[in-house]
Amino acid sequence: MAGKFELKKSKNDKFYFSLLAGNGQTILSSEMYEAKASAVNGIESVKKNAADAGRFDRLDGKDGSPYFTLKASNGQVIGQSQMYSSAASRDAGIESVMANAPGAAVDDQTA
């Protein structure tokens, strides 16, 4: 099963998306957007930038847990991962985003 983007609307009427791997696990989450069109543009930006390994920042949380962010060409963060238990797991998450995002379908759950 291929990965997909899920586009959703929050309880406070903001829009966000998640990239799910083929197994249904969330591998990247967006910020909250005021407009649906902005969230859709964010998805397109993830699709475009996920193929470039240089757009990923490997980081560590306050508790030392590894995670990553994906940045657009302008340097803005367009997605963030979950916290991982190891750097190797984080790197596998990056590889999963790189493999899944470019061709992922969009499941619009806002309607």
Side-chain angles (χ1 to χ4, degrees), residues 19-66:
L19 174 61
L20 279 60
N23 63 6
Q25 181 178 1
T26 299
I27 51 177
L28 191 75
S29 299
S30 76
E31 63 178 308
M32 294 289 184
Y33 295 92
E34 294 291 333
K36 181 177 178 178
S38 298
V40 171
N41 287 342
I43 290 171
E44 292 307 313
S45 186
V46 169
K47 287 182 174 188
K48 183 172 68 173
N49 288 286
D52 184 347
R55 299 265 190 247
F56 291 89
D57 284 340
R58 291 164 171 82
L59 305 164
D60 293 310
K62 291 178 182 154
D63 66 354
S65 298

Side-chain angles (χ1 to χ4, degrees), residues 69-92:
T69 60
L70 174 62
K71 290 185 176 177
S73 57
N74 65 4
Q76 181 178 356
V77 173
I78 50 178
Q80 180 174 313
S81 74
Q82 65 181 9
M83 295 294 183
Y84 290 95
S85 59
S86 69
S89 296
R90 174 190 59 207
D91 292 347

